Amino acid sequence: MTTQLSFDELGTPLRTTTFVVFDLETTGGSAEQDSVTEIGAVKIRGGEVIGEFATLVDPGRGIPQEIVALTGITNAMVYQAPPLIEVLPAFLEFAAGAVLVAHNSGFDVSFLKAACRRYGYHWPRPAVVCTARLARRVLSREEAPSCRLSALAQLFRASTTPIHRALADARATVDVLHALLERLGSVGVQSLEELLDYIPEVTPEQRRKRTLAADLPSEPGVYMFRGPRDEVLYVGTASNLRRRVRQYFTASETRRRLREMVGLAVRVDSVTCSHALEAEVRELRLLAAHKPTYNRRSRNKHQAWWLTLTDEAFPRLSVVRTPRDGSLGPFRSHRSAEGAATALQEGTGIRPCTQRIPARSPKGTPCLLAEIGRCGAPCAGHQSVHEYQPYVEAVRGLVAGHRVDALWRAAARLMQLSEAQRFEQAAEGRDRLAVLVRTLDRSQRLAALASISELVAARPDGTGGWDFAVVRHGRLASAGNAPRGVSPMPVVEMLVSSAETVIPSDGPLYGAPHEEVGAVLRWLEKPGTRMVQSTSPWTVPAASAASWQQWLKRAESAWGGPQLE
């Protein structure tokens, strides 16, 4: 007995799927080193063209002669064309929500991904169909000895001849795609999911286990792939649980580790969430609780480092894993923490040596730093505990956001090095100071949020309603939504009364994981967030590292990124 499939099980019909067929012309074959010179795209649905996108692009460099000979695009043609940083957002908007199609799509998509990384745009991870790979799957060698675009366009009598120009090649690819889809219809491929499944790279395990997503809701939340012993293999978040999990069983999932994970999975569990912040926090907590094998983030969990003052007569800076009151962090690596410690030592005078110095009658030997006047040599008794204390207070005051004189002293030293033409040392010092300023700013903002006993905030949900978050000492204690037309304050009262009890503990973040406090802070700092109520003012000290943001921007523009991290 056979059972008729529901519309949901059939997936997205190809006749209602929007495709954006595109082509790029470039200065060469490297997405990282070469540039785009032209973008052409055709948007189609149901066999009809519903839009086109075409523009030359200024590559910001000369076009090699062999590329000019191939495409006919000259330096004069792109001289007044818009640069890619201006064209990219327009193309992303044109292609939003559509399935991308390209001939040898790996090449074209790699340039788009590289551009998104370079200019700070989120890559939306759309489904991608490669007509070259699809042709190799559909056509026999006898019918199509070559799957080059020109050969396929001739085979299918395309209305446009590809000429290595973006829009013309995209139009030719549209005809090739339609011809291939006609062939697939005869073998039962009627939906987008079936089309993606038909590509050879989909493993048998992926095809067999597509039913694991059948009972998931089409709502935002967290999903967990479980193995044969009920162990959690992988955790992720999604704005639409069913749609996201289905992607693991199609050709759009190309990561080898996750394909291996799908082969092991026997069940997918989900937790529906009120909004994206709740999903992100639940994911962090599940990663910490289960440490799934196939999540890279679970392997790097708690790989944060902190700077703290040691508890001794002459305190020094120590790089530790577990923060305590007054610690500075988190740092992403031990190296970046050490670099920030060096910048702190240069700005405050805190001793750099690691030996433990007794309060009375120290008998050490002064080091080179003491000889050049950069250390008071408490190890040799040249400095008393009372005389050393201002250096300790300088560190504590800087971390707490009460003073920034140490930063000014460190910056002045950089100026002295530059004036002495010791540029390499100045650059190294600048990089260390930039890491210190950035971490101070983040640490002070996290600590300010974590110090508040309870804070309630709201954000528009995009449909006329409100998303709410109840935050206690930096942790998400409750989350909910008031749909359009529902009075919001009763929802707030219910969320507060049912919120998780959070008991603060020691440390700069009152015991809260820095990843969770960071996720909450990002959500709160987004434009449009409104404060509903708070048990105490949410403030950052006036002498915090935020006052050094302009210096930090200039420093980062000079050195191009967080090298120490």
Side-chain angles (χ1 to χ4, degrees):
M1 177 179 179
T2 59
T3 303
Q4 183 175 359
L5 295 176
S6 68
F7 284 111
D8 186 67
E9 290 170 319
L10 287 171
T12 308
L14 289 174
R15 66 179 179 276
T16 63
T17 299
T18 301
F19 296 94
V20 168
V21 185
F22 77 104
D23 181 66
L24 305 181
E25 299 302 331
T26 67
T27 61
S30 172
E32 299 298 334
Q33 299 178 8
D34 293 301
S35 299
V36 176
T37 58
E38 188 177 34
I39 299 179
V42 182
K43 185 181 291 187
I44 56 174
R45 186 191 306 123
E48 300 293 330
V49 175
I50 59 176
E52 290 189 337
F53 181 101
T55 180
L56 289 167
V57 180
D58 180 2
R61 67 188 66 187
I63 303 175
Q65 284 302 312
E66 60 270 22
I67 300 298
V68 173
L70 178 67
T71 66
I73 300 174
T74 65
N75 291 309
M77 293 170 61
V78 299
Y79 178 70
Q80 293 185 322
L84 187 56
I85 193 173
E86 297 179 8
V87 174
L88 181 63
F91 176 78
L92 292 176
E93 182 179 355
F94 178 80
V99 178
L100 293 183
V101 181
H103 201 74
N104 293 317
S105 61
F107 174 85
D108 300 274
V109 170
S110 69
F111 273 85
L112 291 180
K113 287 182 177 180
C116 285
R117 288 194 301 271
R118 188 178 304 122
Y119 300 123
Y121 288 93
H122 169 69
W123 174 246
R125 293 193 65 189
V128 178
V129 173
C130 176
T131 49
R133 285 163 49 191
L134 189 59
R136 294 188 189 99
R137 180 78 165 91
V138 173
L139 306 174
S140 66
R141 289 285 183 182
E142 291 75 16
E143 185 177 12
S146 170
C147 285
R148 296 178 63 181
L149 180 58
S150 57
L152 294 176
Q154 184 177 4
L155 174 67
F156 293 123
R157 298 179 181 177
S159 58
T160 304
T161 300
I163 55 173
H164 292 291
R165 290 298 300 271
L167 184 58
D169 287 11
R171 288 170 174 169
T173 306
V174 168
D175 291 340
V176 170
L177 175 66
H178 283 156
L180 292 172
L181 292 182
E182 287 181 10
R183 297 285 187 96
L184 290 174
S186 64
V187 294
V189 175
Q190 302 292 333
S191 71
L192 174 61
E193 289 76 13
E194 289 169 335
L195 172 62
L196 296 175
D197 283 351
Y198 193 78
I199 299 176
E201 283 75 5
V202 176
T203 65
E205 290 82 2
Q206 285 177 295
R207 289 194 180 95
R208 283 199 304 268
K209 296 185 177 181
R210 182 179 163 193
T211 56
L212 296 181
D215 297 327
L216 297 179
S218 299
E219 298 177 20
V222 184
Y223 55 89
M224 293 171 286
F225 281 85
R226 290 188 178 269
R229 296 186 299 277
D230 208 39
E231 73 275 22
V232 177
L233 300 173
Y234 186 82
V235 176
T237 62
S239 57
N240 184 312
L241 287 164
R242 179 178 298 176
R243 184 174 61 210
R244 178 66 189 99
V245 172
R246 274 180 170 175
Q247 291 177 352
Y248 288 94
F249 311 118
T250 68
S252 62
E253 181 52 71
T254 59
R255 292 168 290 182
R256 181 178 301 176
R257 283 178 54 81
L258 293 190
R259 287 190 173 196
E260 179 183 297
M261 179 274 296
V262 168
L264 296 172
V266 297
R267 189 173 87 247
V268 181
D269 294 337
S270 67
V271 179
T272 303
C273 298
S274 301
H275 47 68
L277 174 62
E278 182 186 5
E280 184 176 0
V281 169
R282 286 188 180 274
E283 179 189 31
L284 289 169
R285 293 177 180 177
L286 288 168
L287 288 172
H290 296 285
K291 298 179 176 56
T293 304
Y294 289 90
N295 279 94
R296 294 189 185 277
R297 290 172 67 186
S298 68
R299 292 189 297 167
N300 297 325
K301 193 69 175 173
H302 303 305
Q303 294 295 308
W305 300 85
W306 299 76
L307 279 178
T308 190
L309 286 167
T310 57
D311 187 12
E312 55 183 306
F314 296 93
R316 58 184 173 81
L317 292 169
S318 178
V319 180
V320 298
R321 287 285 199 184
T322 304
R324 60 186 186 186
D325 290 345
S327 294
L328 170 62
F331 295 91
R332 296 180 183 177
S333 69
H334 191 281
R335 182 188 174 201
S336 62
E338 286 183 328
T342 300
L344 266 175
Q345 290 156 2
E346 293 170 345
T348 63
I350 201 82
R351 66 186 180 96
C353 57
T354 59
Q355 61 180 305
R356 193 173 186 87
I357 304 173
R360 296 181 179 179
S361 304
K363 298 179 180 178
T365 302
C367 63
L368 177 62
L369 290 177
E371 294 179 9
I372 62 176
R374 289 180 54 194
C375 179
C379 60
H382 298 173
Q383 204 171 35
S384 67
V385 172
H386 178 72
E387 292 170 334
Y388 185 77
Q389 191 62 25
Y391 305 148
V392 178
E393 294 305 319
V395 173
R396 289 174 177 163
L398 180 63
V399 172
H402 297 154
R403 52 194 293 184
V404 291
D405 52 316
L407 299 181
W408 286 112
R409 282 194 292 271
R413 183 172 181 275
L414 299 181
M415 185 63 68
Q416 292 171 359
L417 290 172
S418 295
E419 291 173 351
Q421 298 187 1
R422 296 162 65 180
F423 300 120
E424 186 173 341
Q425 287 180 274
E428 291 174 354
R430 176 202 62 206
D431 298 350
R432 290 193 297 266
L433 184 56
V435 171
L436 174 60
V437 171
R438 184 170 53 253
T439 307
L440 273 170
D441 178 52
R442 176 171 168 76
S443 181
Q444 289 162 355
R445 290 188 294 116
L446 292 176
L449 176 59
S451 68
I452 301 175
S453 299
E454 181 180 281
L455 179 151
V456 182
R459 282 189 53 77
D461 67 359
T463 60
W466 290 94
D467 290 332
F468 294 104
V470 179
V471 181
R472 291 177 175 171
H473 289 295
R475 293 175 181 263
L476 182 65
S478 184
N481 174 269
R484 181 179 182 180
V486 174
S487 179
M489 291 314 296
V491 176
V492 171
E493 293 171 2
M494 180 196 68
L495 292 174
V496 170
S497 63
S498 61
E500 173 189 348
T501 298
V502 175
I503 301 175
S505 59
D506 296 334
L509 302 183
Y510 297 81
H514 70 87
E515 300 97 331
E516 181 169 338
V517 184
V520 173
L521 181 63
R522 287 192 298 273
W523 191 83
L524 292 173
E525 290 182 338
K526 288 181 179 178
T529 303
R530 297 187 182 182
M531 301 289 292
V532 179
Q533 60 191 43
S534 179
T535 55
S536 60
W538 181 16
T539 61
V540 175
S544 68
S547 61
W548 272 64
Q549 286 304 301
Q550 290 301 318
W551 181 92
L552 182 61
K553 289 179 181 178
R554 291 195 301 271
E556 290 184 335
S557 65
W559 58 297
Q563 297 170 350
L564 288 176
E565 299 186 343

